[in-house]
């Protein structure tokens, strides 16, 4: 049923991606928590990266060199539900980072405690087919920002904005993802197919 | 055809709104000892022209018709600020009354703002202020209403928000008699919910089956039949 890669290449759809065609999952947090945060996510940055450069001068010529890649932190804006569930989970994660709570494996006081989590982002087209996705690896919350409380404003709803810092990005196009999910090796996975 | 699913959701929101407005009282006659009786103010659903017409159409026009509160829905607006990710299926795990672990999946519906006008019709300004004062003391700044008592409905609460107040003297069509009327505009944020037994499978089936593409071309289905269990 899914549109094949060949059909996509021939069709060359003129329809652009819309900003609401995405879904975010928070991995390595307790199951029900990560599910709720997927619903509460209002906005998320797509990962921006920069290649550092350096210059080499050689015989009156200047050469540009590419150095390390640097990942910009990702900002996530969450709806803040009035019963405080969303912030409760975020604060629990902060306590984990501060060594004030159990880690993802239930451990309290060990040296190799793992407080980092992963964030999976999936992008869809308008007929809800998965187009691409990526996982931000080893995230932690490096900043948290709350909406200001105010008695003179009756309309604004509070939000929580967290900045996620991470080590790496696992990027997958859909063929690799299908292989990963199904567990069945696919020949030429990750490459564009020109015929079926 | 789509499966027939109708749960009177707009009616439930509006009837709860009406319930909030019904219960205000006005003074009705002073007794010899200085005490007074009170009378409950009726609440009807209808736009101003219809309500006024019904007042004037009565053969015996007495004070017992007034005061009156008329409410009606003026518009339904999309509430994009409150939109939730439509790819999300909310999974809830819970233990039922028999001690069995259960999982429940639900979709989050689209959000809207219901704009509701409330008109107060009174026989005197004094009576008008009497009702206004009582209403405005309640909406400070909002009134929260409950529209469902199902444990798994995450939209069981909503708010009634007073947006604006306007004081009008109107001359309804077909009459020269003025009507002193106070209008209050309220906003009621709501979220339509999918039927409780419907999960993501049904919606995805509808979307993906309208057009069937193949390597040879695109086939359009003439009629789509979806049963209650989500099978097309």
């Amino acid at each position: 049923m899914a549109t094949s890669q060949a059909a996509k290449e021939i069709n060359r759809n003129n329809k652009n991606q819309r900003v609401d065609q995405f879904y975010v999952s928070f991995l390595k947090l307790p199951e029900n928590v990560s599910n709720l945060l997927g619903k509460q996510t209002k906005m998320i940055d797509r990962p921006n990266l920069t290649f550092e450069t350096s210059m080499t001068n050689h015989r009156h010529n200047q050469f540009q060199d590419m150095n390390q890649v640097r990942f910009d932190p990702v900002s996530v804006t969450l709806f803040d539900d009035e019963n405080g569930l969303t912030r409760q989970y975020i604060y629990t994660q902060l306590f984990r980072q501060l060594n004030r709570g159990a880690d993802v494996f239930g451990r309290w006081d060990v040296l190799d405690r793992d407080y980092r989590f992963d964030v999976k982002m999936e992008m869809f087209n308008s007929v809800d087919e998965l187009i691409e996705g990526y996982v931000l690896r080893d995230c932690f919350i490096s900043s948290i920002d709350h909406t200001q409380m105010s008695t003179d404003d009756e309309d604004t709803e509070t939000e929580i904005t967290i900045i996620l810092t991470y080590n790496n990005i696992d990027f997958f196009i859909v063929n690799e993802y299908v292989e990963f999910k199904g567990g069945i090796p696919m020949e030429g996975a990750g490459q564009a197919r020109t015929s079926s | 055809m789509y499966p027939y699913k109708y749960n009177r959701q707009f009616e439930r929101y509006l009837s709860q709104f009406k319930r909030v407005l019904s219960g205000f009282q006005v003074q009705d006659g002073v007794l010899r000892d200085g005490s007074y009786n009170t009378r409950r103010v009726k609440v009807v659903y209808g736009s101003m022209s219809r309500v006024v017409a019904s007042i004037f159409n009565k053969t015996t026009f007495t004070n017992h018709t007034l005061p009156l509160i008329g409410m009606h829905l003026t518009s339904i607006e999309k509430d994009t600020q409150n939109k939730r990710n439509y790819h999300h299926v909310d999974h809830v795990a819970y233990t039922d009354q028999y001690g069995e672990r259960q999982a429940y999946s639900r979709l989050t519906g689209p959000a809207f703002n219901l704009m509701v006008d409330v008109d107060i019709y009174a026989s005197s300004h004094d009576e008008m202020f009497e009702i206004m004062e009582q209403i405005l003391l309640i909406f400070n700044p909002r009134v929260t209403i409950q529209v469902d008592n199902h444990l798994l409905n995450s939209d069981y609460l909503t708010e009634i928000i007073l947006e604006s107040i306007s004081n009008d003297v109107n001359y309804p069509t077909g009459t020269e008699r003025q009507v002193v009327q106070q209008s209050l505009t309220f906003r009621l944020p709501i979220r339509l919910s999918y039927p409780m037994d419907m999960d993501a499978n049904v919606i995805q089936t509808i979307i993906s089956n309208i057009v069937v593409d193949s390597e040879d071309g695109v086939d359009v289905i003439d009629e789509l039949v979806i049963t209650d269990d989500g099978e097309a």
Side-chain angles (χ1 to χ4, degrees), chain A residues 24-27 29 33-34 36-38 40-46 72-80 85-95 97 115 117-120 136 139-147 158-166:
Chain A
V24 180
S25 314
F26 290 76
L27 311 176
L29 291 173
V33 179
S34 55
L36 178 92
L37 294 181
Q40 296 300 100
T41 302
K42 182 182 182 185
M43 289 186 281
I44 184 167
D45 283 343
R46 290 161 83 178
D72 290 353
V74 161
S75 169
V76 185
T77 303
L78 301 159
F79 293 108
D80 188 10
L85 274 180
T86 311
R87 49 185 186 267
Q88 190 177 317
Y89 296 142
I90 296 295
Y91 297 162
T92 304
Q93 175 60 30
L94 291 179
F95 289 139
Q97 291 180 195
Y115 56 82
F117 57 96
D118 294 344
V119 173
K120 185 172 77 173
L136 309 178
C139 299
F140 62 91
I141 299 170
S142 54
S143 163
I144 180 165
D145 183 61
H146 302 82
T147 308
T158 61
E159 292 170 353
I160 299 173
T161 304
I162 52 174
I163 307 284
L164 300 179
T165 304
Y166 51 95

Side-chain angles (χ1 to χ4, degrees), chain B residues 39 42 54-55 58 60-68 121:
Chain B
R39 191 152 55 88
K42 281 192 294 184
S54 82
I55 293 171
K58 288 194 188 309
T60 53
F61 183 64
T62 68
N63 248 352
H64 290 293
T65 314
L66 296 175
L68 191 66
Y121 309 89

Side-chain angles (χ1 to χ4, degrees), chain A:
Chain A
M1 182 58 219
T3 311
S4 69
Q5 188 69 32
K8 280 180 207 163
E9 285 172 14
I10 294 167
N11 183 251
R12 296 181 185 181
N13 186 359
N14 284 326
K15 198 170 175 311
N16 292 334
Q17 180 87 33
R18 287 189 186 272
V19 291
D20 63 351
Q21 292 169 336
F22 75 98
Y23 186 63
V24 180
S25 314
F26 290 76
L27 311 176
K28 287 199 202 171
L29 291 173
E31 182 267 329
N32 260 343
V33 179
S34 55
N35 183 253
L36 178 92
L37 294 181
K39 182 175 82 161
Q40 296 300 100
T41 302
K42 182 182 182 185
M43 289 186 281
I44 184 167
D45 283 343
R46 290 161 83 178
N48 299 318
L49 51 88
T50 316
F51 287 96
E52 287 187 349
T53 58
S54 62
M55 289 182 295
T56 308
N57 293 316
H58 181 66
R59 291 187 177 179
H60 307 294
N61 286 323
Q62 197 170 61
F63 297 93
Q64 299 286 341
D65 289 322
M66 188 190 73
N67 296 350
Q68 292 95 340
V69 63
R70 295 282 177 248
F71 300 116
D72 290 353
V74 161
S75 169
V76 185
T77 303
L78 301 159
F79 293 108
D80 188 10
D81 66 287
E82 69 173 4
N83 287 325
L85 274 180
T86 311
R87 49 185 186 267
Q88 190 177 317
Y89 296 142
I90 296 295
Y91 297 162
T92 304
Q93 175 60 30
L94 291 179
F95 289 139
R96 246 183 214 157
Q97 291 180 195
L98 290 165
N99 208 4
R100 296 288 188 275
D103 71 2
V104 289
F105 303 110
R107 298 174 300 190
W108 277 85
D109 191 22
V110 286
L111 287 175
D112 59 343
R113 36 180 298 115
D114 184 8
Y115 56 82
R116 292 167 185 257
F117 57 96
D118 294 344
V119 173
K120 185 172 77 173
M121 173 95 159
E122 291 163 300
M123 313 271 279
F124 300 90
N125 63 12
S126 58
V127 289
D128 283 347
E129 291 170 354
L130 183 69
I131 300 302
E132 67 173 48
Y134 46 84
V135 180
L136 309 178
R137 294 288 183 199
D138 306 331
C139 299
F140 62 91
I141 299 170
S142 54
S143 163
I144 180 165
D145 183 61
H146 302 82
T147 308
Q148 187 182 40
M149 305 301 273
S150 167
T151 52
D152 66 352
D153 182 351
E154 295 178 6
D155 292 326
T156 306
E157 291 168 331
T158 61
E159 292 170 353
I160 299 173
T161 304
I162 52 174
I163 307 284
L164 300 179
T165 304
Y166 51 95
N167 282 343
N168 210 340
I169 304 172
D170 273 359
F171 182 83
F172 51 86
I173 64 170
V174 70
N175 280 356
E176 284 176 327
Y177 181 74
V178 170
E179 181 193 32
F180 173 69
K181 291 286 281 189
I184 304 162
M186 268 173 66
E187 202 172 325
Q191 296 169 8
R193 285 187 296 145
T194 51
S195 63
S196 60

Side-chain angles (χ1 to χ4, degrees), chain A residues 1-4 6-7 20-24 31-32 34-42 79 82-83 124-129 153-155 157 159 196, chain B residues 80-93 101 106 108 141-142 144 154 156-157 159 161-163 187 204 207-209 211-215:
Chain A
M1 182 58 219
T3 311
S4 69
D20 63 351
Q21 292 169 336
F22 75 98
Y23 186 63
V24 180
E31 182 267 329
N32 260 343
S34 55
N35 183 253
L36 178 92
L37 294 181
K39 182 175 82 161
Q40 296 300 100
T41 302
K42 182 182 182 185
F79 293 108
E82 69 173 4
N83 287 325
F124 300 90
N125 63 12
S126 58
V127 289
D128 283 347
E129 291 170 354
D153 182 351
E154 295 178 6
D155 292 326
E157 291 168 331
E159 292 170 353
S196 60
Chain B
T80 46
Q81 286 296 311
N82 255 316
K83 201 175 142 189
R84 293 292 188 272
N85 195 311
Y86 61 89
H87 291 103
H88 178 82
V89 182
D90 206 23
H91 300 294
V92 183
R101 292 283 288 167
R106 60 190 170 186
T108 311
R142 293 171 288 268
T144 302
S154 48
Y156 75 106
L157 283 182
E159 293 165 330
I161 303 156
L162 176 61
E163 292 281 308
R187 181 163 60 88
Q204 282 166 3
I207 293 166
S208 57
N209 273 351
V211 174
V212 175
D213 71 335
S214 63
E215 296 297 319

Side-chain angles (χ1 to χ4, degrees), chain B residues 68-84:
Chain B
L68 191 66
I69 296 176
M71 57 161 280
H72 67 282
L73 177 68
T74 52
S75 65
I76 303 174
E77 296 167 1
K78 273 173 67 177
D79 185 7
T80 46
Q81 286 296 311
N82 255 316
K83 201 175 142 189
R84 293 292 188 272

